[in-house]
Amino acid sequence: MFSALILDDEAPARKFLHGLLAEHCTQLSAFFLAGDIPTAARLLQENEIDILFLDVNLGTETGFDLLQQGTGRHQALIFVTAHEEFSLKAIKARAIDYLLKPIDIDELLLAVDKATGFLKSTRPAPVAQTPASDTGKQQVIVNHDDGFELFDQSRILFAEAEGSYTAFYLEGAQKIIASRQLGSYETLLASPFFFRSHKSYIINLRHLKGYSSKNGYTALLSEGYEVPVSRRKLSLFLELSKKLGS
């Protein structure tokens, strides 16, 4: 069981998020609510808190100001804000996720799953990274119903949710069905190349070949694959794509 701190200067927003988490996230057992940074800092000092839900705009301060005090090093960070322009700064702060208001319940549940997965790092993980090989490639082990598969992380084109399973699409038209949900793998794939473009997809930006908005927002990948990009993730996707291509 895990505890959570909600930092938002608007009381209705704090209570609304608290209500969603209390109703839908049974893995969270304790909640602390703060309307400003001094209160949040005091709560963190007095209690063992696992996950931080931080708003960005706090009047004259921001959620990042709390992190500058040395807080958040051992917690999982999730930003919940109406301001999408701070998403890259959140990534640099090693945030688990960046959720835009109004809150999408599916995205919130996925973010909490990622956070708790990160916090369970001392427990057996569904994907294990192996030491880099002589060629400098990072390898991963993916468990499936018949055993496991070991392959270079760079070979992953994208991963797709298939119910309670995950399908990994690799170079060479290879497909591997893993016996865990997609959210279990997100924090274990190395950034900045792996990006959650949609609630059902993680793409490898190293294989990005283009982008199209002709039939919805779509990332064009190697070997002719087309993967959707959600409206909420589009701005960050375009910004990261330009950054990686520069």
Side-chain angles (χ1 to χ4, degrees):
M1 303 299 284
F2 300 95
S3 58
L5 168 70
I6 300 171
L7 172 59
D8 196 310
D9 63 336
E10 296 183 0
R14 290 197 303 273
K15 293 178 181 179
F16 179 69
L17 179 54
H18 178 209
L20 288 179
L21 294 171
E23 180 179 357
H24 297 284
C25 301
T26 56
Q27 64 269 57
L28 302 181
S29 60
F31 298 92
F32 302 88
L33 279 62
D36 53 51
I37 287 179
T39 302
R42 176 179 56 79
L43 288 171
L44 285 166
Q45 186 176 14
E46 297 175 353
N47 304 275
E48 292 187 4
I49 298 176
D50 302 303
I51 305 174
L52 306 184
F53 293 89
L54 306 180
D55 190 10
V56 171
N57 191 351
L58 301 169
T60 59
E61 298 178 296
T62 72
F64 296 105
D65 293 327
L66 180 66
L67 304 182
Q68 290 177 355
Q69 298 182 12
T71 301
R73 292 178 181 175
H74 305 292
Q75 286 89 10
L77 305 178
I78 298 174
F79 282 88
V80 183
T81 177
H83 301 273
E84 65 179 32
E85 64 269 24
F86 295 100
S87 53
L88 272 181
K89 188 173 181 179
I91 288 176
K92 292 180 181 178
R94 305 180 75 176
I96 294 293
D97 213 332
Y98 190 92
L99 306 179
L100 291 177
K101 298 177 181 177
I103 298 171
D104 181 285
I105 185 60
D106 290 332
E107 292 185 0
L108 177 63
L109 297 181
L110 286 171
V112 173
D113 284 343
K114 286 187 286 182
T116 54
F118 168 77
L119 294 167
K120 292 175 182 176
S121 58
T122 57
R123 304 177 189 179
V127 175
Q129 295 187 351
T130 63
S133 65
D134 292 339
T135 59
K137 294 181 179 179
Q138 193 77 29
Q139 293 187 311
V140 292
I141 300 172
V142 173
N143 297 319
H144 51 73
D145 290 341
D146 299 319
F148 67 87
E149 193 85 17
L150 175 67
F151 51 84
D152 291 330
Q153 200 176 85
S154 61
R155 291 189 58 216
I156 300 172
L157 301 175
F158 67 97
E160 179 184 9
E162 292 192 356
S164 59
Y165 292 83
T166 299
F168 282 90
Y169 291 80
L170 309 181
E171 292 175 318
Q174 184 180 2
K175 179 181 178 181
I176 298 172
I177 303 296
S179 56
R180 293 297 181 98
Q181 293 182 340
L182 184 67
S184 301
Y185 296 99
E186 186 170 4
T187 58
L188 298 169
L189 292 173
S191 58
F193 297 108
F194 288 94
F195 175 70
R196 186 72 171 263
S197 68
H198 184 279
K199 65 181 181 181
S200 298
Y201 294 91
I202 298 173
I203 63 175
N204 186 348
L205 293 174
R206 281 176 283 203
H207 290 282
L208 182 66
K209 297 299 181 183
Y211 161 75
S212 174
S213 60
K214 184 177 181 179
N215 297 309
Y217 308 128
T218 306
L220 308 178
L221 304 180
S222 301
E223 303 190 16
Y225 288 105
E226 298 184 3
V227 175
V229 179
S230 71
R231 180 186 61 81
R232 287 172 173 263
K233 296 295 184 73
L234 180 62
S235 177
L236 179 56
F237 166 74
L238 295 175
E239 195 168 355
L240 286 173
S241 300
K242 293 176 182 178
K243 192 178 183 73
L244 291 171
S246 62

